[in-house]
Amino acid sequence: MSNNINNPYAKKTVTRRNFLLSLAGTGAVGLGGGALLTLLNKSDGITVDQKAKVDVANPLKNSTSPLIMGSDNVTATKEPVVETAQDFSGLTIDPKYKDRILVVIELFGGNDGLSMVPPYGTGKYYDLRGGLAVPQNEVLPINDQFGLHRELVNLHERKDQLAIVQGIGHTDGNLSHFQMQDQVNLGNSGSENYRTGFLARLGNAIGSQDPDAGLLAASTYGYSLGMRNITAPFLSTSDLAQLDVISDKDATYAAYREAVSSFKGDPLSDATGDIFSKIYNPKNVFPSAAESAASELASYDSGDNATGRDLGAQLAIAAHLIRADIGVKIIQTKISGFDNHSGMGFAYPELMKGVDGALGAFLNDIETMGKKDDVLVCIISEFGRRCQVSGDGLDHGNGSMTMAIGPVKPGIYGDDISLNDLDEKGNIKPTVTFGQYQASWAQDWLGVPADLLLDESPETLKFV
Amino acid sequence: MADRKPSHSMAAQLVRRVTLNNDQSLVNKYASASRGEIVKDLLAAPPDTSIAPGESFKTYASGTVSWWVDKMLKPSNPLQERMTWFFHTFLTCNTFKISELMVADQLNILRQGCFGNYRDLLKKFCSSGALIVFLNANQNSKDAPNENLARELMELFTTGTGHYTQDDVKAATIALSGWFAHAWDGYPDGDHQKGEAPGTSKWNIPDTREVTFMGETKKWDLFSVIDKLCSMEATATRIASLLWFHLVGTEIPKPKADELGKWWSGQDLEMKPLIEKIVSDSAFDENYYARTRTGLEYYCAVQGAVNNSHPYDEKDLRLLSQTPYNPPNVAGWPQSQWFNPGSMLWRANFLRRISFPQASLDEVLDSCGLYSISDATLALLKSLDSKGGDTNKLRWLVTLSSPEFNAI
């Protein structure tokens, strides 16, 4: 990263108009990304720097250090004071990556990879897991060592599209959901402590290639850590119907979109300063939820399986965005329920059934759209679970199994894990870092060099 | 920046920041008062002592949350609701893990303690069942230390990072061991009706060794650890800076933060003098519209603008991505980062669910508390009559989407 740092506080020139307008909405996004630079790079007009006390006689008055408004060192307590700006000016993404889309499914709570991808060829697995092990004759085999959970039938049908990653985990994990979730979503596994989400940085890198792009990234649930501080055009919605406001043909909403598109609001950038015009960019034309719903969303309905309903609803939004064909590149979904401290024997098969049902419907849809070669789905979870059973559940663990689904070179990736050589807490010793997995999404799948996004420049897994 | 009603501007900028519910009758009441007089009046109001309801064995705390939101919208003491909300943004827990009764207990601690002494508030907060369960103090025993509460007590609730070492975390973990609360009601014996306080229990064995914490070797416990941390100026500086950002809307410059922390230490971490000090600072007057309203703040402000005529539906808060007691992580809610395409789309969708009363542009602006407005926004609003569609609805939608209304 250090090669790519620009000093966001360097004295630059800014147009008075843009500067004043940019104060309007305020607060907002932290000092991340090239955002501030974009603002400051505007020529003519007044010159300011971070320390300047600008007497703004106009719009929304603000006399102390307006450029550091919203900086987080007093608010978001888990964050460092300043993140260095990212410079993607040297980046040129090869056109062959242009149509590729990344869909991330986060399984929050600490998914037990050993149940999702049981190492059924290892006797020790059955010793450790007892009644919670997936019986050998129920495992859906991948090879003679690993198979899939018995409920993952749709995925097993696509086993030639599965890249299974073994031993993914934290080198400095502390088993806290929240800290590990932060670490994974922000890509903080190295020495750098990022304020922007990893997917945000990836989106910003891709966004740097086309300043006029329509919607580029989306999360299908609320506040997304992974997309935090993204400056590329981004939407987050948990409800397909929410997109209707973008396309509603009603005259009031047409007038509304036109009016608010003239608002500037973000103090930190032009890039996000005109966020309304990004949302209501004429390129972002979606079919309405009603138009999409009846035929396509029905297939996402996983009946009474709550996990399936939740993931299905989110993947339906993903499919909707992909079908709209407006250049969406990164979609993040997230479901909960994987913190299986107890009652795991009943709960886990239901979770897998839900994931498989929703994902199967989504993959069918993608295949029908003819986008099978363009969509990579990557599953991730903040940590795995303890090898030894505790009661009828499993405590928080570390090293785990995960997988990517799509146009991959099928196989098992990562150095072999050992159930005979666990760490002092009884967890699998990691053989693959989260950084390596995420670097693979960025570099191998989307053509963005990992060293632009992660300070350790991790080696990718090469499954695509 | 145009002052539509100079007599109301100052009061409006104050009211929107020290209350949640955008109550214009309060602005009218204070129109001719000075900042000092307004703050004194708000601080002198009797606190609302009503008790939040909650049931054991119930998850998601929807009853407690709807009770609280109703208090925010129709407060008997508006500053108390603002301060309770401020504390919830970082002294928090998640219904994902604890029962409604425990949420209600924690909320009562914040509501009743928000005008008192921060150290006392923190002691009650940290020994509440909700926090013991939420931060795994339950699992911090002699044989299996769990550092979660010890670490967060320092990182999130007091000094912040940079003022303690990993050895201090380990020592505090030992000092904090042995607490227990049942996940369904937060009490050590699982029967809150017995009236006992959360505390140590046969279910969790404490580690009673002497340890060296912050350079002092003795037998420490939760309360002496909190006393020690609260005696450190870093705690006063950090908490005062958090409140500064919350109320003023800008980051406090470091020298000023240090000065404020030193001063507040001298006030023994009493909240009322701190509130008065921050609101009386000239920076408070100079920096309005400096921070984006968070999701819940936006919800309350919109409700205030339409006289609370929009019926409560927890879906609205989900839509705005800020349901109380459902923060995104253990650190609570981000106070910035609320101005982005995602949140502006959520807000547009929330606005679509509201039926707006007929009103002239002036009436809309008054209802919204927008007595100061940029020339550009005002010109845009005045041009809406000729844009087609339902002009009244359009006027409300655009006003409530304006940078001014999105900011605080």
Side-chain angles (χ1 to χ4, degrees):
Chain A
M1 281 299 297
S2 54
N3 297 334
N4 303 304
I5 293 169
N6 275 328
N7 177 7
Y9 301 138
K11 264 202 172 190
K12 295 283 172 66
T13 309
V14 59
T15 66
R16 183 171 178 80
R17 179 179 169 278
N18 280 340
F19 178 68
L20 297 178
L21 284 173
S22 73
L23 292 176
T26 73
V29 189
L31 268 177
L36 181 56
L37 287 170
T38 318
L39 169 65
L40 296 177
N41 277 327
K42 294 284 172 184
S43 58
D44 83 81
I46 58 171
T47 299
V48 295
D49 69 19
Q50 185 209 2
K51 302 258 179 351
K53 180 163 176 165
V54 176
D55 178 17
V56 184
N58 196 322
L60 309 170
K61 70 176 181 179
N62 213 308
S63 71
T64 47
S65 302
L67 288 180
I68 57 170
M69 286 183 311
S71 179
D72 287 65
N73 50 345
V74 291
T75 58
T77 51
K78 292 184 107 47
E79 300 180 7
V81 174
V82 165
E83 173 159 295
T84 50
Q86 288 175 284
D87 176 10
F88 298 116
S89 58
L91 173 66
T92 307
I93 301 176
D94 192 300
K96 75 175 182 182
Y97 299 103
K98 187 170 69 70
D99 295 327
R100 291 187 175 181
I101 296 163
L102 171 68
V103 177
V104 176
I105 300 179
E106 183 179 346
L107 308 180
F108 179 54
N111 176 46
D112 181 40
L114 291 186
S115 293
M116 183 171 78
V117 188
Y120 77 109
T122 309
K124 186 74 178 173
Y125 167 66
Y126 291 94
D127 297 343
L128 287 163
R129 285 299 172 80
L132 286 185
V134 185
Q136 223 158 14
N137 60 354
E138 293 182 9
V139 170
L140 307 173
I142 297 293
N143 61 18
D144 58 4
Q145 276 300 306
F146 291 104
L148 298 184
H149 189 277
R150 61 179 157 84
E151 293 291 351
L152 296 177
V153 289
N154 283 308
L155 290 184
H156 193 249
E157 273 177 21
R158 294 169 171 84
K159 65 179 173 182
D160 60 339
Q161 300 169 41
L162 292 185
I164 289 170
V165 178
Q166 61 174 328
I168 188 165
H170 298 278
T171 45
D172 55 349
N174 75 350
L175 311 190
S176 153
H177 288 295
F178 300 101
Q179 287 174 44
M180 295 305 100
Q181 190 193 19
D182 280 8
Q183 198 159 302
V184 167
N185 277 289
L186 302 179
N188 280 347
S189 54
S191 56
E192 192 85 42
N193 194 9
Y194 294 103
R195 295 165 37 139
T196 52
F198 171 76
L199 292 178
R201 301 198 293 280
L202 179 55
N204 292 346
I206 296 170
S208 72
Q209 307 289 294
D210 177 9
D212 299 321
L215 185 61
L216 200 148
S219 99
T220 56
Y221 59 99
Y223 177 85
S224 164
L225 270 174
M227 299 283 191
R228 184 158 75 181
N229 285 352
I230 189 167
T231 52
F234 162 72
L235 277 184
S236 102
T237 177
S238 54
D239 180 356
L240 198 52
Q242 286 187 16
L243 297 175
D244 285 2
V245 74
I246 297 174
S247 313
D248 194 328
K249 292 183 180 68
D250 177 88
T252 308
Y253 284 98
Y256 170 77
R257 289 192 294 269
E258 189 198 322
V260 298
S261 290
S262 70
F263 283 142
K264 311 281 182 197
D266 189 312
L268 298 173
S269 74
D270 282 350
T272 55
D274 51 0
I275 58 167
F276 288 100
S277 60
K278 279 185 185 169
I279 305 174
Y280 303 118
N281 184 334
K283 291 178 183 172
N284 294 341
V285 177
F286 303 102
S288 75
E291 281 161 354
S292 180
S295 57
E296 291 136 8
L297 299 189
S299 61
Y300 287 69
D301 185 354
S302 299
D304 58 359
N305 185 296
T307 306
R309 275 202 307 276
D310 190 359
L311 183 60
Q314 296 190 49
L315 288 174
I317 297 171
H320 191 74
L321 296 174
I322 292 168
R323 187 180 294 106
D325 203 20
I326 53 169
V328 176
K329 299 283 289 175
I330 307 169
I331 300 167
Q332 189 179 22
T333 68
K334 176 183 172 182
I335 52 172
S336 306
F338 292 84
D339 193 20
N340 303 121
H341 286 279
S342 59
M344 183 154 176
F346 173 77
Y348 200 80
E350 287 297 304
L351 290 167
M352 288 295 102
K353 189 177 171 185
V355 168
D356 188 70
L359 198 44
F362 174 73
L363 293 170
N364 278 337
D365 215 357
I366 294 301
E367 286 154 18
T368 308
M369 282 181 228
K371 301 244 182 204
K372 188 180 155 196
D373 293 334
D374 295 334
V375 178
L376 179 71
V377 179
C378 292
I379 294 176
I380 195 165
S381 186
E382 73 269 28
F383 49 62
R385 303 197 78 83
R386 197 69 46 88
C387 293
Q388 185 76 47
V389 173
S390 163
D392 61 346
L394 298 167
D395 286 329
H396 301 179
N398 191 0
S400 190
M401 308 290 297
T402 194
M403 58 185 154
I405 306 113
V408 300
K409 291 176 265 185
I412 313 286
Y413 292 83
D415 290 342
D416 289 351
I417 55 167
S418 169
L419 296 181
N420 292 306
D421 178 28
L422 303 173
D423 73 11
E424 74 285 356
K425 292 194 175 94
N427 297 325
I428 294 171
K429 291 178 179 170
T431 58
V432 170
T433 66
F434 282 95
Q436 284 183 276
Y437 189 41
Q438 290 169 315
S440 309
W441 308 348
Q443 184 167 311
D444 297 348
W445 179 243
L446 294 176
V448 178
D451 64 359
L452 289 180
L453 307 174
L454 294 160
D455 66 316
E456 288 186 313
S457 309
E459 197 180 329
T460 64
L461 298 170
K462 316 248 178 343
F463 53 73
V464 287
Chain B
M1 175 66 60
D3 265 339
R4 289 178 49 249
K5 289 189 184 175
S7 61
H8 285 57
S9 291
M10 189 278 292
Q13 302 305 352
L14 197 151
V15 164
R16 64 195 281 136
R17 284 182 286 171
V18 302
T19 70
L20 284 169
N21 62 322
N22 198 17
D23 176 2
Q24 298 314 307
S25 68
L26 213 52
V27 175
N28 293 330
K29 175 182 162 188
Y30 290 138
S32 58
S34 71
R35 214 153 24 113
E37 287 166 349
I38 300 173
V39 177
K40 279 202 166 35
D41 191 61
L42 287 167
L43 281 168
D48 180 349
T49 55
S50 52
I51 300 298
E55 291 174 28
S56 50
F57 293 101
K58 190 176 165 200
T59 50
Y60 299 117
S62 53
T64 310
V65 169
S66 68
W67 180 90
W68 186 19
V69 171
D70 192 61
K71 287 286 176 192
M72 294 178 188
L73 297 181
K74 300 160 199 162
S76 72
N77 185 325
L79 180 56
Q80 183 184 8
E81 300 307 331
R82 163 60 76 182
M83 289 304 295
T84 303
W85 172 247
F86 162 70
F87 281 119
H88 172 69
T89 59
F90 69 104
L91 300 181
T92 188
C93 63
N94 194 316
T95 55
F96 165 68
K97 222 173 152 179
I98 58 177
S99 73
E100 187 183 65
L101 179 67
M102 296 154 76
V103 170
D105 282 352
Q106 188 184 86
L107 177 58
N108 288 324
I109 289 168
L110 299 185
R111 293 186 82 247
Q112 302 315 322
C114 67
F115 285 145
N117 183 288
Y118 182 67
R119 181 177 45 246
D120 296 344
L121 173 65
L122 199 53
K123 284 180 181 175
K124 286 183 181 152
F125 176 77
C126 288
S127 59
S128 70
L131 205 73
I132 288 169
V133 174
F134 185 54
L135 291 184
N136 309 99
N138 264 356
Q139 288 130 35
N140 179 18
S141 62
K142 188 178 177 189
D143 297 327
N146 185 307
E147 296 176 354
N148 212 0
L149 176 59
R151 185 182 304 282
E152 304 305 12
L153 172 58
M154 290 185 263
E155 184 178 340
L156 301 179
F157 310 153
T158 56
T159 64
T161 53
H163 299 279
Y164 53 89
T165 63
Q166 177 59 24
D167 286 344
D168 289 320
V169 173
K170 283 186 172 157
T173 299
I174 290 172
L176 270 49
S177 65
W179 284 76
F180 191 84
H182 280 282
W184 56 84
D185 73 352
Y187 290 83
D189 292 321
D191 181 3
H192 65 281
Q193 285 169 351
K194 283 186 192 166
E196 86 272 69
T200 52
S201 140
K202 63 182 176 183
W203 300 107
N204 197 359
I205 311 297
D207 186 338
T208 54
R209 279 179 293 166
E210 283 193 350
V211 288
T212 304
F213 176 67
M214 298 287 173
E216 192 183 338
T217 306
K218 66 174 190 180
K219 172 81 188 75
W220 291 87
D221 64 15
L222 174 63
F223 299 118
S224 55
V225 165
I226 291 177
D227 280 334
K228 175 69 191 173
L229 290 167
C230 285
S231 75
M232 295 166 68
E233 230 165 77
T235 295
T237 302
R238 195 172 152 274
I239 302 304
S241 299
L242 284 172
L243 184 61
W244 177 284
F245 185 85
H246 192 83
L247 294 179
V248 178
T250 58
E251 182 190 348
I252 186 169
K254 182 155 190 325
K256 190 155 186 163
D258 291 342
E259 192 187 315
L260 184 65
K262 194 178 177 65
W263 175 85
W264 194 39
S265 280
Q267 300 292 314
D268 197 30
L269 307 189
E270 287 292 331
M271 291 308 303
K272 281 190 173 182
L274 179 63
I275 297 166
E276 204 171 345
K277 176 97 170 167
I278 291 174
V279 176
S280 307
D281 196 288
S282 61
F284 184 88
D285 198 30
E286 290 159 4
N287 288 289
Y288 59 88
Y289 294 150
R291 158 171 88 75
T292 308
R293 281 181 158 135
T294 69
L296 179 122
E297 288 173 341
Y298 186 78
Y299 173 83
C300 292
V302 171
Q303 282 282 27
V306 299
N307 274 324
N308 298 323
S309 59
H310 181 63
Y312 177 78
D313 180 347
E314 59 188 22
K315 186 180 172 186
D316 289 326
L317 295 168
R318 283 205 304 276
L319 198 55
L320 294 167
S321 209
Q322 198 169 34
T323 305
Y325 283 106
N326 191 18
N329 69 13
V330 70
W333 297 101
Q335 297 210 34
S336 56
Q337 304 158 11
W338 285 92
F339 199 77
N340 58 59
S343 59
M344 291 306 114
L345 183 71
W346 306 335
R347 289 176 190 198
N349 274 284
F350 167 57
L351 298 178
R352 269 162 86 88
R353 291 161 56 83
I354 296 173
S355 302
F356 295 107
Q358 277 295 329
S360 68
L361 179 56
D362 266 339
E363 288 165 345
V364 170
L365 291 172
D366 282 359
S367 303
C368 293
L370 297 178
Y371 298 100
S372 305
I373 190 164
S374 69
D375 297 336
T377 300
L378 193 57
L380 180 70
L381 289 169
K382 284 179 173 167
S383 74
L384 295 177
D385 290 0
S386 59
K387 298 291 183 193
D390 177 342
T391 304
N392 185 63
K393 186 170 159 189
L394 183 60
R395 192 182 285 139
W396 277 105
L397 290 172
V398 176
T399 305
L400 295 173
S401 300
S402 65
E404 288 90 339
F405 192 80
N406 274 299
I408 202 159

